[in-house]
Amino acid sequence: MTMRALRIHEFGGPEVMRFDDVPVPQPADDELLLRVHAASVNPVDYKTREGKFGPVGEDQLPLTLGRDVSGTVEACGRRVEGFRPGDEAYAMLAHDRGAFAEYVILKEDEASPKPGGLGHVEAASVPLAALTAWQGLFDHGGLQAGQRVLIHGAAGGVGHFAVQFAREKGARVHVTVSERDVEFARRLGADEVIDYRSERFEDRARDMDLVFDLIAGDTQQRSWSVLKPGGTMVSTLGPPSEDEARAHHARGVGYMAEPNGGQLAAIGRMIEAGSVVPEIDATFPFDDARAAETHKQEDHVRGKVVLRLA
Ligand SMILES: NC(=O)c1ccc[n+]([C@@H]2O[C@H](COP(=O)([O-])OP(=O)(O)OC[C@H]3O[C@@H](n4cnc5c(N)ncnc54)[C@H](OP(=O)(O)O)[C@@H]3O)[C@@H](O)[C@H]2O)c1
């Protein structure tokens, strides 16, 4: 049996993505085969396509893109205990597989039951961005109730989850966004919303316990001065400078988000309870996957862009 998959055979612009017919994969003992209903687009997809995502080199081509998925379990390996065919599941995938395909293999420990009440499009928008926010704030940033956090890029895929998680934790949340997202950031629960184009965040954010940096460059560089001594800079864009960390008596952490079915289940419970809400910017049919990726890469996007497959 074959399926359609959106693959790259070389690195480059959107034109290198093409639909191929490939065999439907077979699950190993600890794996599930998922029929994909929806898959969302993340910056890692176009960075991978351009050859700018470090862990994926030429030797891994051809490669199916897509790291976020929601769908129905089609088949289970012998040792899978938590899922049965017909269950609805969602997951972030490791970079060795791709969700922009009609079927995909999940490891059981990557997968979580899809949150009740959420459609596949909404569910597919969650895993990678929400896990990145969760792991950055809590596993690497150690954010506690009552602490002060500054989140740069708060209206994007990762940022809009981070604001909601930090608010739910009971932190005081400062954010930077562009002007059109000021109201959106307030609705998410940010206490201090800074328009990064017209204001200097240093003037309004001080004595931060944590800076969660989704932007890097000059934004990160200027952020050291808003941390209090002993504070932490967590970045999704590589390890912050050790020299700067030392000079500011702070800690710098770079990290790569990882699939985690248990954390995804906890996030799903917050979504079911209505305390966290995913924001969808746009949905596209699978046939328009190139346009979806270009939209995410080039246009101002609030929240997530999702592909509908079934
Ligand atoms: N290490 C990891 O595991 C990991 C995981 C996920 C993501 N990432 C990386 O983290 C970054 C964010 O990911 P994402 O999915 O949230 O991206 P995204 O959805 O594209 O969001 C980025 C947001 O940043 C805003 N922005 C741009 N320049 C800004 C500035 N100077 N100050 C404040 N906000 C600014 C954009 O708004 P405007 O368009 O209005 O400017 C947009 O809302 C990406 O570079 C991604 O590759 C890394």
Side-chain angles (χ1 to χ4, degrees):
M1 212 167 102
T2 64
M3 64 174 188
R4 284 177 89 210
L6 186 73
R7 302 204 303 174
I8 55 169
H9 294 249
E10 59 186 313
F11 296 130
E15 70 285 352
V16 302
M17 290 184 273
R18 71 180 210 208
F19 287 101
D20 290 330
D21 278 323
V22 298
V24 173
Q26 298 299 311
D29 288 353
D30 61 343
E31 293 176 342
L32 324 168
L33 178 67
L34 195 78
R35 175 150 190 253
V36 179
H37 290 268
S40 74
V41 180
N42 291 287
V44 70
D45 299 315
Y46 52 77
K47 291 181 184 180
T48 301
R49 191 238 299 142
E50 290 174 341
K52 295 178 181 160
F53 178 61
V56 176
E58 298 264 3
D59 56 338
Q60 280 145 280
L61 303 181
L63 180 90
T64 304
L65 295 170
R67 303 279 302 278
D68 267 337
V69 67
S70 180
T72 307
V73 176
E74 185 84 6
C76 296
R78 278 192 304 127
R79 292 210 310 271
V80 170
E81 291 178 349
F83 295 89
R84 283 195 240 157
D87 287 350
E88 296 188 311
Y90 76 146
M92 168 186 172
L93 307 176
H95 58 75
D96 58 334
R97 280 151 294 138
F100 297 169
E102 290 172 307
Y103 294 89
V104 70
I105 294 289
L106 303 184
K107 312 277 181 206
E108 184 172 8
D109 60 4
E110 293 170 341
S112 161
K114 178 171 78 63
L118 214 58
H120 285 292
V121 164
E122 289 76 16
S125 75
V126 173
L128 188 147
L131 286 170
T132 303
W134 186 277
Q135 292 169 13
L137 293 176
F138 305 127
D139 295 349
H140 301 287
L143 185 66
Q144 303 287 337
Q147 290 190 329
R148 295 159 66 82
V149 59
L150 170 62
I151 300 168
H152 289 303
V158 177
H160 88 287
F161 285 114
V163 177
Q164 297 180 78
F165 294 155
R167 180 207 67 207
E168 285 300 297
K169 186 74 183 178
R172 181 153 185 89
V173 186
H174 295 60
V175 302
T176 59
V177 294
S178 52
E179 195 209 343
R180 64 198 141 194
D181 288 323
V182 167
E183 273 315 308
F184 173 60
R186 288 210 177 101
R187 280 205 308 280
L188 293 173
D191 297 294
E192 294 286 337
V193 181
I194 304 164
D195 169 359
Y196 72 86
R197 289 203 174 92
S198 67
E199 298 173 87
R200 281 170 47 81
F201 61 81
E202 300 93 313
D203 296 337
R204 290 190 43 203
R206 298 218 178 86
D207 294 326
M208 294 292 128
D209 295 281
L210 176 65
V211 172
F212 188 35
D213 165 40
L214 306 171
I215 305 298
D218 179 55
T219 299
Q220 183 187 103
Q221 178 61 34
R222 288 165 44 209
S223 294
W224 291 106
S225 68
V226 311
L227 278 173
K228 69 182 196 193
T232 304
M233 166 96 66
V234 172
S235 179
T236 57
L237 290 152
S241 154
E242 286 179 17
D243 290 345
E244 292 287 356
R246 211 172 300 117
H248 291 87
H249 308 286
R251 195 166 66 95
V253 186
Y255 73 106
M256 193 78 88
E258 289 175 358
N260 187 319
Q263 289 180 343
L264 204 48
I267 290 165
R269 287 191 287 275
M270 295 175 86
I271 293 173
E272 280 173 354
S275 52
V276 170
V277 179
E279 174 78 8
I280 311 282
D281 176 271
T283 61
F284 290 74
F286 190 30
D287 282 345
D288 294 341
R290 280 196 202 101
E293 225 184 85
T294 305
H295 176 56
K296 179 75 181 166
Q297 185 169 15
E298 292 181 1
D299 303 335
H300 164 83
V301 167
R302 179 182 294 168
K304 297 295 306 281
V305 172
V306 186
L307 296 176
R308 275 190 315 273
L309 283 95

